[in-house]
Amino acid sequence: MKYQNIPQKSASPLADQQHLNLLQQDICLPAVILKHSALLHNLQWMQNFADTSGVLLAPHGKTSMTPWLFQQQLAAGAWGITVATSYQAQVAVQAGGRRLILANQLVGKANMAVIAALLASGNEIYVCIDNIDNASALSDFFSAENLCLPVLIELGVPGGRCGCRTNQQAVELAQQLATLPGLSLAGIEFYEGVIKSTDTARTVRQFVQQAAALAKALFRQQLLQYPRALISGAGSVWYDIVAAELKKATLPDTMQIVLRPGCYISHDLGIYQQAQQQVLARSNTACRLDGNLQNALELAAYVQSLPEPGLAVLGFGKRDAAFDAGLPQAIAIYRNGQLLSDKLSQCETSKVMDQHAFWRYDNTVQPQVGDIVLLGTSHPCLTFDKWRSLWLADDNYNLLQSLETCF
Amino acid sequence: MKYQNIPQKSASPLADQQHLNLLQQDICLPAVILKHSALLHNLQWMQNFADTSGVLLAPHGKTSMTPWLFQQQLAAGAWGITVATSYQAQVAVQAGGRRLILANQLVGKANMAVIAALLASGNEIYVCIDNIDNASALSDFFSAENLCLPVLIELGVPGGRCGCRTNQQAVELAQQLATLPGLSLAGIEFYEGVIKSTDTARTVRQFVQQAAALAKALFRQQLLQYPRALISGAGSVWYDIVAAELKKATLPDTMQIVLRPGCYISHDLGIYQQAQQQVLARSNTACRLDGNLQNALELAAYVQSLPEPGLAVLGFGKRDAAFDAGLPQAIAIYRNGQLLSDKLSQCETSKVMDQHAFWRYDNTVQPQVGDIVLLGTSHPCLTFDKWRSLWLADDNYNLLQSLETCF
């Protein structure tokens, strides 16, 4: 047995072993695995949804920040990659992305310098804007570098996050942008995921209609200075409504519609599973596709201690999985490679600490220290970012490849 | 201006610039900085506390997982480093730690293999145990490798985390351990930080007394098989009580008392600041030391959008700082390198999303997009783990060094 010299959170110390299997205790736990079959299915499902809807896909890379996944998304037909920061833009370009939406404002000299360098290398990068001071600073910076930065005006909602609050504000900003030499207005960006109302679906529809009206107004007033203008919205919750409303809006022919869902890649067994059930209840397009999104991400941890009847302490914690939208919940328990139970819905992860979780089990299962528990999670973004590498696994938990993340 | 080829979340694209300053927008934000002066003070303060109390220090490395900090802690006089997982043990050894407490159960073949390799290389590693099945598995594994693993029996509290619930259970486990060839009982470990009661300080005192009584009982019964036995407790909240009660207990001369606080290294402006105020209210030893722990960790982010009166969107989120024990709160705002205000206690970070934060400001400050906000945080463990590198800074925000983390 040879000790691997470079430590990694979920590595295997069995460096001379070719065939690693999670259930055989071959790797250090806790670990996160991505199921290859479910990933491939999800990649194809969302690309099919976009193709069938007649829209383009720029999956949000911030979810996984995993270059190998970016490459799969591009190979499956994605138009580009969406990112949230200049750092993420660098990672996406290094993974092979040549067309990026920075779905955020670009602020600060060092952040601007990163984007300028990517732009100067021939990449196509769209940056969001909602403020004239920011626009002036960007124009000064990019024109000093002899560059022209394509920007998207962000439209927001009252009480929401970034973005102009009214179409009038957005048109005024567009008129100001036209005077700035370092910027070129390329379209509209919005994010409907922050909307909460008594009838959220309806409010989302109205907001998308408002964005479409803004795009048409900017087009009519010849304020869109970029050859092929964009309109881009949609996270993983309302993408069906965004696609449908933007198609209905009869936008100018030269305008491209770009959706930016991120969480579909791994999906989850929590808030995004619930959201997707609503998508299927609403969207004929989604229903007609093959199957549905599948959970591809599982957390594996040992039963570490059995200190009291009905309580197991599992060897994972806040360091290893998202805990902001429901705690990871067990879906199966294995002993010596054999399934003990996958009927665990009466058991509950009741609490997480930094490195431990409390698992309350009922009398249908008799865990022992050393059993492996597989858990589904809620909110994949905040599970991905706990790991420098993830394992790609087949359906029998054979480990196919270690995937590097770049958070 | 040269673009750095290896992306890093808070890197500087100004690779040819020797002198970097946070306030001059020289690095990508968000970023986390550690203030050198405060770090050095905290290192010395806690080591002085341990020295004055006549106890040893094995700072919990899981807080920072920053090898440079481990090295400073060892250089300041720490007896060893505490870790929570086999992976963390590897990192601590690579940083120069030769004496480790794995303050957790060691479960699973790959995890055991990692510790076996470290032990075989001559490191001193103590592992916690609370279960005979786990003990047997460990003994089988380590004796097959011709190794003997020093173990500490973990004592826990009812409703708490891991650990035997009574001294009787612990003594019985110790008797069983004596028959296992791969293990050597080296003492007692406990973690009082999980205790919650109507008079928690009193319950903590009683629990420490119980642990001391257990140590004496094991000693009397000659169940401690290790040349220099240990008793180890204390996180960053009750370390004064643990030290005081264990000293009062008149343990055998050969027994070493080891404290394991972690968060003191950076301290915070949240739950650990509050806890430390209680330490000073309780402990004469702490009061007599030079000064007090200081917050060394600051998050820096840009004002990114000003979408509504009184609302700024800051460019950081759940990806960048702990949010489980209170949100990061602004302590200062700078414009073009100049302090605008450090009287921001009426302003409030009211919400965080993955990559954004909502900052509600009052009319004492008029932020502009591009202003830099410095924030204090609560619960340093979950801020450290968001970063692959942190910046060491002087009090004027000159950046001295980039420090790698190993999460």
Side-chain angles (χ1 to χ4, degrees):
Chain A
M1 191 173 298
K2 203 177 148 228
Y3 166 63
Q4 254 182 343
N5 204 29
I6 302 160
Q8 206 164 41
K9 205 170 156 189
S10 65
S12 173
L14 315 173
D16 51 358
Q17 190 173 325
Q18 290 300 307
H19 177 82
L20 297 174
N21 185 286
L22 174 77
L23 304 177
Q24 298 302 325
Q25 310 190 9
D26 288 341
I27 60 168
C28 291
L29 299 189
V32 159
I33 61 142
L34 290 170
K35 287 196 153 174
H36 197 201
S37 59
L39 273 184
L40 294 178
H41 175 82
N42 293 347
L43 274 167
Q44 206 52 62
W45 193 97
M46 190 57 86
Q47 190 62 51
N48 287 348
F49 177 87
D51 294 347
T52 310
S53 303
V55 303
L56 301 170
L57 203 59
H60 210 317
K62 67 130 179 156
T63 298
S64 78
M65 287 308 293
T66 303
W68 186 84
L69 288 176
F70 293 177
Q71 288 160 0
Q72 308 308 306
Q73 290 170 315
L74 291 167
W79 169 87
I81 299 286
T82 298
V83 295
T85 68
S86 62
Y87 162 67
Q88 294 179 5
Q90 287 178 294
V91 173
V93 166
Q94 289 204 349
R98 293 287 164 263
R99 214 186 266 127
L100 308 184
I101 296 177
L102 175 57
N104 235 340
Q105 284 65 32
L106 175 60
V107 180
K109 282 183 192 162
N111 290 330
M112 291 181 197
V114 166
I115 297 300
L118 297 178
L119 208 58
S121 315
N123 301 289
E124 198 175 323
I125 308 182
Y126 302 86
V127 165
C128 296
I129 204 155
D130 68 356
N131 175 288
I132 186 60
D133 292 339
N134 181 223
S136 300
L138 285 170
S139 178
D140 290 348
F141 189 94
F142 282 84
S143 56
E145 301 269 328
N146 293 313
L147 292 167
C148 186
L149 177 70
V151 294
L152 307 173
I153 289 185
E154 179 160 1
L155 186 67
V157 292
R161 203 161 67 188
C162 308
C164 299
R165 293 303 193 238
T166 66
N167 283 12
Q168 192 190 332
Q169 285 172 6
V171 170
E172 285 168 14
L173 180 58
Q175 287 162 346
Q176 294 171 306
L177 294 182
T179 68
L180 296 175
L183 304 183
S184 161
L185 182 57
I188 303 292
E189 186 267 357
F190 62 89
Y191 176 56
E192 74 295 334
V194 292
I195 294 173
K196 299 269 178 296
S197 75
T198 51
D199 184 351
T200 305
R202 188 166 168 229
T203 312
V204 168
R205 276 185 206 283
Q206 290 167 341
F207 178 55
V208 180
Q209 290 159 7
Q210 181 194 342
L214 173 61
K216 288 199 266 191
L218 295 178
F219 184 81
R220 257 197 323 273
Q221 297 182 45
Q222 298 185 302
L223 288 165
L224 297 175
Q225 305 154 310
Y226 209 73
R228 297 224 56 191
L230 299 186
I231 181 162
S232 174
S236 295
V237 174
W238 304 106
Y239 61 89
D240 58 313
I241 290 184
V242 172
E245 291 298 327
L246 289 180
K247 290 305 283 187
K248 262 197 250 170
T250 59
L251 295 160
D253 285 345
T254 53
M255 190 158 242
Q256 304 177 98
I257 300 169
V258 185
L259 304 189
R260 310 189 309 271
C263 294
Y264 77 91
I265 184 71
S266 66
H267 204 49
D268 74 4
L269 292 179
I271 52 173
Y272 288 98
Q273 185 186 48
Q274 292 160 24
Q276 179 68 5
Q277 285 161 357
Q278 296 300 311
V279 170
L280 289 183
R282 281 190 306 252
S283 165
N284 281 331
T285 309
C287 287
R288 275 190 228 109
L289 299 177
D290 177 34
N292 188 12
L293 295 178
Q294 301 170 6
N295 177 51
L297 189 157
E298 293 179 10
L299 172 68
Y302 283 115
V303 174
Q304 171 176 332
S305 178
L306 294 164
E308 296 178 11
L311 171 64
V313 178
L314 304 186
F316 79 91
K318 294 180 181 178
R319 245 73 193 272
D320 306 303
F323 56 90
D324 67 325
L327 301 184
Q329 297 299 337
I331 49 180
I333 181 167
Y334 286 82
R335 181 175 303 157
N336 299 324
Q338 301 300 313
L339 181 69
L340 272 189
S341 174
D342 56 4
K343 307 279 181 297
L344 300 171
S345 59
Q346 296 305 307
C347 305
E348 191 196 4
T349 306
S350 59
K351 188 176 177 180
V352 283
M353 306 170 102
D354 285 4
Q355 309 270 171
H356 302 83
F358 282 44
W359 190 49
R360 302 280 173 187
Y361 59 89
D362 67 359
N363 56 16
T364 62
V365 61
Q366 301 295 331
Q368 291 179 7
V369 171
D371 290 347
I372 291 177
V373 179
L374 298 175
L375 303 103
T377 68
S378 180
H379 193 185
C381 307
L382 293 200
T383 297
F384 273 106
D385 71 10
K386 304 294 186 295
W387 298 88
R388 298 198 185 193
S389 65
L390 313 159
W391 286 100
L392 190 68
D394 71 14
D395 290 348
N396 297 315
Y397 298 96
N398 296 306
L399 303 172
L400 309 174
Q401 193 179 334
S402 172
L403 305 177
E404 185 198 12
T405 69
C406 293
F407 286 98
Chain B
M1 191 173 295
K2 201 175 151 234
Y3 166 64
Q4 254 184 344
N5 203 30
I6 301 159
Q8 204 164 44
K9 205 169 154 190
S10 65
S12 173
L14 316 173
D16 52 358
Q17 190 173 327
Q18 290 299 308
H19 176 81
L20 297 174
N21 185 287
L22 174 77
L23 304 177
Q24 298 302 323
Q25 310 190 8
D26 289 340
I27 60 167
C28 291
L29 300 188
V32 159
I33 60 141
L34 291 172
K35 288 196 150 171
H36 198 201
S37 59
L39 273 184
L40 293 179
H41 175 82
N42 293 348
L43 273 166
Q44 205 53 62
W45 194 96
M46 189 58 85
Q47 189 62 52
N48 286 347
F49 177 87
D51 294 347
T52 311
S53 302
V55 302
L56 301 169
L57 202 58
H60 209 316
K62 66 129 181 160
T63 297
S64 78
M65 288 307 292
T66 302
W68 186 84
L69 288 176
F70 294 176
Q71 287 159 2
Q72 308 309 306
Q73 289 169 316
L74 291 167
W79 169 87
I81 300 285
T82 297
V83 294
T85 68
S86 62
Y87 163 67
Q88 294 179 4
Q90 285 178 293
V91 173
V93 166
Q94 289 205 348
R98 293 287 164 262
R99 213 185 266 127
L100 308 184
I101 295 177
L102 175 57
N104 236 341
Q105 285 64 31
L106 175 61
V107 180
K109 283 182 190 162
N111 290 330
M112 291 179 196
V114 166
I115 298 300
L118 297 178
L119 208 60
S121 314
N123 300 291
E124 196 175 325
I125 307 182
Y126 301 85
V127 165
C128 296
I129 205 155
D130 67 357
N131 175 289
I132 187 59
D133 292 339
N134 180 224
S136 300
L138 285 170
S139 179
D140 289 350
F141 189 96
F142 282 84
S143 56
E145 301 271 327
N146 292 315
L147 292 167
C148 187
L149 177 70
V151 293
L152 307 173
I153 290 184
E154 179 161 1
L155 186 67
V157 291
R161 204 161 66 189
C162 308
C164 298
R165 292 304 192 239
T166 65
N167 283 11
Q168 191 189 335
Q169 284 172 6
V171 169
E172 285 168 14
L173 180 58
Q175 287 161 346
Q176 292 170 308
L177 293 182
T179 68
L180 296 175
L183 305 182
S184 161
L185 183 58
I188 303 292
E189 185 268 358
F190 61 91
Y191 176 56
E192 74 295 334
V194 293
I195 294 173
K196 299 272 178 294
S197 75
T198 50
D199 184 351
T200 305
R202 187 166 170 231
T203 312
V204 167
R205 276 185 206 284
Q206 290 167 342
F207 178 56
V208 180
Q209 290 159 7
Q210 182 195 340
L214 172 61
K216 288 198 265 191
L218 295 178
F219 184 81
R220 256 197 325 272
Q221 296 181 46
Q222 298 186 303
L223 288 165
L224 296 175
Q225 304 154 310
Y226 209 73
R228 297 224 58 190
L230 300 186
I231 182 163
S232 174
S236 296
V237 174
W238 303 107
Y239 61 89
D240 59 312
I241 290 183
V242 172
E245 290 298 326
L246 289 179
K247 289 306 283 187
K248 261 196 250 170
T250 58
L251 294 160
D253 285 344
T254 53
M255 190 160 243
Q256 304 178 97
I257 300 169
V258 184
L259 304 190
R260 310 188 310 271
C263 293
Y264 77 91
I265 184 72
S266 66
H267 204 50
D268 74 5
L269 292 178
I271 52 174
Y272 289 99
Q273 184 186 47
Q274 291 160 26
Q276 179 68 7
Q277 284 161 358
Q278 296 302 311
V279 169
L280 290 183
R282 280 190 307 252
S283 164
N284 281 332
T285 308
C287 288
R288 274 190 229 110
L289 299 178
D290 176 34
N292 188 12
L293 295 179
Q294 301 170 5
N295 177 52
L297 189 157
E298 293 180 12
L299 172 68
Y302 283 115
V303 174
Q304 171 176 330
S305 178
L306 295 165
E308 296 178 11
L311 171 64
V313 178
L314 304 185
F316 80 90
K318 294 179 181 177
R319 244 74 192 271
D320 307 302
F323 56 90
D324 67 325
L327 301 184
Q329 297 299 336
I331 49 181
I333 180 167
Y334 285 82
R335 181 175 303 159
N336 300 324
Q338 301 301 312
L339 181 69
L340 273 189
S341 174
D342 57 4
K343 307 277 182 297
L344 300 171
S345 60
Q346 296 304 307
C347 304
E348 192 196 4
T349 306
S350 59
K351 188 176 177 179
V352 284
M353 305 170 103
D354 285 5
Q355 309 270 171
H356 302 83
F358 284 44
W359 190 49
R360 304 279 172 186
Y361 59 89
D362 67 358
N363 55 16
T364 61
V365 61
Q366 302 296 330
Q368 291 178 6
V369 171
D371 290 346
I372 292 177
V373 179
L374 298 175
L375 304 103
T377 68
S378 180
H379 193 183
C381 307
L382 293 202
T383 297
F384 274 106
D385 71 10
K386 304 294 185 294
W387 298 88
R388 298 199 183 190
S389 65
L390 313 159
W391 285 100
L392 190 68
D394 71 16
D395 290 348
N396 298 315
Y397 298 97
N398 296 305
L399 302 172
L400 309 174
Q401 192 178 335
S402 171
L403 305 178
E404 185 198 15
T405 70
C406 293
F407 286 98

